[in-house]
Amino acid sequence: MLSLKESLKDVLGPSHRTDGEYKLPKTSSRVIILTTNLLLQISFFIIVSSSNEYAKSLGGDSTFSGIVIGIPTVFSGLALIPLMKYDRGRYKLPLHISCGASIVGHILYACAYKARFLYLILIGRIVSGLAFSMWMYCKRYCSDGRIVGMRQRTTLAGWLVLGQGLGMSAGPFFGGLLTKIGFANEVFNGYTSPGWIMAVVWCAFWICVYNWFEDVEDAAPITELTSLPDSSSNNLRPEQVSAEEFDTEAARHTTSLAQWGVIVCMCWFAMTCFFILGAWESNIPVFGANADILRFTPFGAGNFIALGGITTFPFLLLNLFLARRIQDRHILLTGSFLGMVGLLVFISVVASSRVTYGSMFACWWLIALGFNLASTVTVSLLSKQLPQEWNGRTSLAIQYSNYAGRVSGAIWGGSGLAVGMLNYAGVEIAIAGIGAALFTMFWTKLKTKTG
């Protein structure tokens, strides 16, 4: 098994590799992309532990809080199509838009308390949603055949999920911790401080992006394309073929029924993972505050969510090393199994009225580890099975699936008490069960190279 030093050197080493299946982009650019993913995750989750109380202080309710948590992904999805029209297959434009929108969105969110305007919370999160469109580009970057070799893609995706787990832990923890500031100041207080602090962080990071991010070249390499447009008629060399011509050629590629099945399977799992994770992150502050044995404050709920994420961190780190030796489908199987066990245990303790801090934490830990682990392979697996020129389309499909899961999961979690916790958990089990059925059906078709 590879050592920690070897794995870190391969992914974040001092120089980038350009040899075939093991090639990597420049280190500073990789770090920028991975850090962007981490900051977006923190930005998304930092309001989770206090949004319910923030909304109620301005006249909202728990369902509105769920909408506040999930709404950015709706507008992120709406922004992706026009953004992809102008990105030219590159990453610098969406990076700058993400930084700018994050700053404005956090400031608007923070101003709602002073303005005593409930819907300014929502407006701020909608603007932040434009920033979250960068999630798709992070995934696309880590599976882009122009800069990332086939045997590095699952490992890089593992780093994204590691950032996802860290953001899922750090965001609620710091959000809950900041509520301890109190409310003596109407501008900077327990509800608004996450917005102000993250706006400053994004300003500093934007400077780093401007100085150190190196974008990819326009043209795609010929080594990973199944076919090229005929360039003899216009005397172009293959490396001079435009991105538009590659898109035209991609449209001609014939995809088999089995490949479409794999695409559907990966999209379903991408939706499932984020639906269940989003539902739990939204539901824990609400359910925990109403359960007599838990009685979570925003600070307590943030600590609970963070503790579950932090304790999965070593296992997500281990996954970075194992990804070089284990097929993507085995990682998906392991994660899905752990998540399903967590859901089944939870519905049993709720049905028997035996919810305790320990049983709740065990369920959350299994779900956080399992579905974070499963989400590692959704993009990388498709990028290994389909031509490079399909990478933009598959990344977009996976990201829309993630968005669908995030927004519906956040709203579903906020409504958990209203629909009943047994129904809440039962729907999640049913959705995960459909994924298991798809997984079983296409098991032999999910085989790919490791790494």
Side-chain angles (χ1 to χ4, degrees):
M1 185 180 295
L2 293 175
S3 67
L4 174 61
K5 181 179 179 180
E6 289 172 325
S7 183
L8 289 172
K9 183 178 179 180
D10 278 344
V11 181
L12 297 173
S15 62
H16 68 284
R17 301 177 62 172
T18 59
D19 49 322
E21 292 187 341
Y22 292 92
K23 64 184 174 182
L24 285 169
K26 189 176 179 180
T27 302
S28 60
S29 299
R30 272 178 279 153
V31 172
I32 290 290
I33 291 295
L34 295 175
T35 305
T36 301
N37 174 65
L38 173 60
L39 290 179
L40 288 172
Q41 297 291 346
I42 293 175
S43 294
F44 187 87
F45 291 115
I46 197 168
I47 62 108
V48 166
S49 55
S50 59
S51 66
N52 187 48
E53 298 299 323
Y54 193 7
K56 287 182 177 179
S57 73
L58 297 178
D61 56 20
S62 296
T63 300
F64 184 86
S65 171
I67 294 173
V68 166
I69 294 171
I71 199 67
T73 56
V74 174
F75 287 84
S76 178
L78 293 174
L80 274 177
I81 297 299
L83 189 56
M84 291 182 71
K85 182 179 180 180
Y86 296 103
D87 66 19
R88 295 167 53 204
R90 308 180 79 179
Y91 300 92
K92 189 165 285 187
L93 174 64
L95 253 177
H96 287 307
I97 291 175
S98 182
C99 292
S102 291
I103 294 167
V104 175
H106 282 300
I107 290 174
L108 290 174
Y109 181 88
C111 288
Y113 192 88
K114 175 68 174 177
R116 305 306 298 174
F117 182 36
L118 174 66
Y119 288 95
L120 193 55
I121 299 176
L122 203 60
I123 294 170
R125 292 289 284 174
I126 287 171
V127 174
S128 293
L130 302 180
F132 295 143
S133 61
M134 188 61 203
W135 270 326
M136 189 279 291
Y137 288 93
C138 291
K139 292 179 175 67
R140 195 175 83 179
Y141 188 90
C142 291
S143 58
D144 193 332
R146 295 172 293 177
I147 50 177
V148 181
M150 187 174 292
R151 291 189 180 273
Q152 298 283 13
R153 295 175 193 173
T154 303
T155 304
L156 276 181
W159 280 102
L160 289 181
V161 173
L162 196 65
Q164 179 179 302
L166 186 58
M168 184 182 72
S169 303
F173 173 75
F174 288 116
L177 183 64
L178 289 170
T179 61
K180 295 292 185 179
I181 291 175
F183 305 94
N185 189 316
E186 287 193 339
V187 176
F188 190 87
N189 55 51
Y191 296 149
T192 66
S193 53
W196 294 118
I197 290 173
M198 289 307 300
V200 172
V201 170
W202 275 105
C203 284
F205 180 67
W206 202 353
I207 297 172
C208 298
V209 170
Y210 182 82
N211 285 292
W212 291 302
F213 182 75
E214 184 177 299
D215 214 339
V216 300
E217 297 180 0
D218 285 327
I222 61 175
T223 54
E224 292 210 27
L225 295 175
T226 55
S227 60
L228 287 171
D230 183 9
S231 59
S232 60
S233 60
N234 53 13
N235 296 320
L236 286 176
R237 295 191 304 274
E239 61 270 21
Q240 293 177 315
V241 177
S242 69
E244 289 77 10
E245 289 175 293
F246 279 118
D247 287 341
T248 301
E249 195 66 20
R252 299 174 188 166
H253 177 79
T254 302
T255 306
S256 68
L257 186 61
Q259 285 177 313
W260 279 115
V262 171
I263 292 171
V264 170
C265 182
M266 291 301 98
C267 287
W268 185 266
F269 269 102
M271 182 279 295
T272 298
C273 291
F274 283 89
F275 175 85
I276 295 174
L277 288 171
W280 274 69
E281 289 147 1
S282 177
N283 181 258
I284 284 173
V286 178
F287 176 69
N290 284 272
D292 291 335
I293 200 167
L294 299 175
R295 290 297 177 189
F296 285 160
T297 63
F299 179 65
N303 285 344
F304 185 88
I305 295 171
L307 184 61
I310 290 171
T311 51
T312 66
F313 191 84
F315 297 92
L316 295 177
L317 191 62
L318 178 64
N319 179 54
L320 293 176
F321 314 137
L322 296 180
R324 299 179 180 275
R325 302 296 179 89
I326 298 177
Q327 289 184 30
D328 289 4
R329 59 178 179 170
H330 294 141
I331 296 173
L332 184 63
L333 174 62
T334 302
S336 302
F337 175 77
L338 291 173
M340 180 63 89
V341 170
L343 290 173
L344 292 173
V345 172
F346 179 71
I347 199 170
S348 66
V349 297
V350 170
S352 60
S353 300
R354 294 180 179 177
V355 176
T356 63
Y357 190 96
S359 64
M360 185 76 175
F361 178 78
C363 296
W364 168 230
W365 184 85
L366 286 168
I367 288 166
L369 174 60
F371 290 113
N372 272 313
L373 195 61
S375 69
T376 304
V377 302
T378 50
V379 172
S380 61
L381 189 149
L382 290 180
S383 73
K384 295 174 184 178
Q385 291 202 355
L386 296 170
Q388 159 60 22
E389 58 266 35
W390 275 64
N391 186 48
R393 291 176 173 84
T394 54
S395 297
L396 184 63
I398 293 297
Q399 191 59 53
Y400 272 130
S401 301
N402 287 347
Y403 286 157
R406 277 190 187 274
V407 65
S408 57
I411 296 172
W412 182 245
S415 306
L417 289 178
V419 301
M421 293 304 293
L422 288 177
N423 293 330
Y424 161 82
V427 168
E428 294 173 6
I429 291 171
I431 290 173
I434 293 172
L438 289 171
F439 185 93
T440 303
M441 186 184 305
F442 296 106
W443 172 256
T444 58
K445 304 299 181 182
L446 295 174
K447 186 175 181 180
T448 59
K449 292 184 178 181
T450 59

